[in-house]
Amino acid sequence: MARGPQFQPVQPVRAYQRIVEQVEDALARGDLAPGQRLPSERELVAQFEVSRSTVREALRVLESNGVVRSRPGDPNGPELLPFSQSGLRKQMVRLARVDELTLAELIGFRMIMDGAAIQVASRLRTPEQLAEMEETLVAMRAAIDVDFAAFSEADLAFHDVIARISRNSLIQTCNEVVRGVVLSLISDKIAHAPNSRALMQESLQHHAEVVDAIRAGDGHAAARIARQNMYDYYAGYVPDPEQETLRALIDD
């Protein structure tokens, strides 16, 4: 007998989620704009034909997502908020932590985004910003004798400098969120690995080579070194078939 199609279980969608989707879709289309007000709670109950508790749950989610600001009893209705970095960061953290994203996908995303930021930084950096990068290398070198947490903090400072030089807040937010999720998954393994010190020393060497390439204005070389560093640092924590995908990104 021929094997039929493989269906996935149907996930029920609650009414409040549909309300959230409609409001966010209206914002995306431009039918709603920051500064405008949604209808009052009573009017929303009538329009959506749901209970007051369902509307309140939807507003709670929208407020948590940074989409609206709601005040109890406000007759004017919830206020739609402008875009904010904190709202984007919350959404990205939720996305990065879902089960559908593998560790290899998160690492691959970092390799691509960080490499792009470094290429831009190699063109835009000022002498003062180059000196700031070199200061983070000094901090990383000192942190090796402390512990992995200190080294990780210094490493974060390095990548923050790169992201700021790129003058792109989305790059900065994306890298910060994904890096945080990756480390939350494997930082304990790295910290207690028998070769943890060797990994930190090798990573420091790669960072120094990145700075040298940026100083020389060779963005392509700097990005390649950075992607190689991330691969060497993290690839051992993903299955072999997925390592091949990450290797393909090194010389992209």
Side-chain angles (χ1 to χ4, degrees):
M1 180 177 178
R3 185 174 181 178
Q6 298 299 300
F7 295 112
Q8 297 297 319
V10 175
Q11 298 296 325
V13 178
R14 297 184 177 181
Y16 79 86
Q17 293 174 296
R18 292 302 190 197
I19 297 175
V20 171
E21 289 172 2
Q22 287 195 48
V23 173
E24 292 181 337
D25 286 347
L27 276 168
R29 291 192 307 267
D31 296 340
L32 292 173
Q36 289 184 322
R37 297 270 186 167
L38 290 177
S40 68
E41 186 178 287
R42 183 188 299 274
E43 292 172 0
L44 289 173
V45 168
Q47 287 190 33
F48 287 113
E49 298 182 356
V50 295
S51 68
R52 187 178 295 270
S53 62
T54 297
V55 167
R56 287 178 176 173
E57 179 65 13
L59 294 177
R60 185 193 66 78
V61 173
L62 288 167
E63 188 160 21
S64 175
N65 291 348
V67 176
V68 303
R69 176 168 52 223
S70 181
R71 297 184 179 90
D74 187 346
N76 296 317
E79 179 186 2
L80 291 160
L81 299 175
F83 166 81
S84 71
Q85 289 288 332
S86 61
L88 174 62
R89 187 174 289 107
K90 287 180 180 179
Q91 291 296 321
M92 286 204 62
V93 168
R94 290 190 183 98
L95 173 63
R97 289 186 180 278
V98 298
D99 292 338
E100 287 79 4
L101 288 178
T102 66
L103 179 59
E105 288 176 303
L106 293 168
I107 295 169
F109 180 85
R110 277 206 69 205
M111 291 172 69
I112 293 169
M113 293 298 295
D114 200 63
I118 285 171
Q119 282 191 293
V120 175
S122 70
R123 296 186 178 185
L124 299 181
R125 61 86 179 169
T126 65
E128 292 76 16
Q129 289 167 329
L130 185 60
E132 192 175 356
M133 279 186 273
E134 291 171 340
E135 289 174 5
T136 65
L137 296 181
V138 173
M140 290 173 69
R141 186 173 294 109
I144 291 176
D145 292 324
V146 181
D147 57 23
F148 174 75
F151 182 84
S152 183
E153 183 177 346
D155 176 59
L156 176 60
F158 175 88
H159 291 285
D160 278 348
V161 173
I162 294 294
R164 280 191 281 108
I165 296 172
S166 73
R167 304 175 191 173
N168 190 312
S169 59
L170 282 175
I171 289 178
Q172 188 169 0
T173 299
C174 290
N175 278 345
E176 177 186 333
V177 169
V178 175
R179 181 184 186 280
V181 174
V182 169
L183 285 178
S184 72
L185 295 173
I186 61 175
S187 61
D188 190 62
K189 295 179 181 177
I190 297 176
H192 296 93
N195 63 336
S196 176
R197 183 180 179 85
L199 282 173
M200 289 188 285
Q201 290 174 330
E202 184 176 0
S203 180
L204 172 61
Q205 178 60 36
H206 278 142
H207 280 71
E209 291 172 1
V210 168
V211 173
D212 287 341
I214 291 175
R215 184 186 295 108
D218 192 344
H220 181 76
R224 181 186 56 75
I225 295 167
R227 289 192 293 265
Q228 180 71 60
N229 175 47
M230 286 191 189
Y231 176 84
D232 292 344
Y233 206 63
Y234 296 124
Y237 299 95
V238 303
D240 289 345
E242 293 177 331
Q243 289 183 21
E244 183 178 353
T245 302
L246 295 179
R247 279 196 299 272
L249 297 174
I250 294 174
D251 294 316
D252 186 32

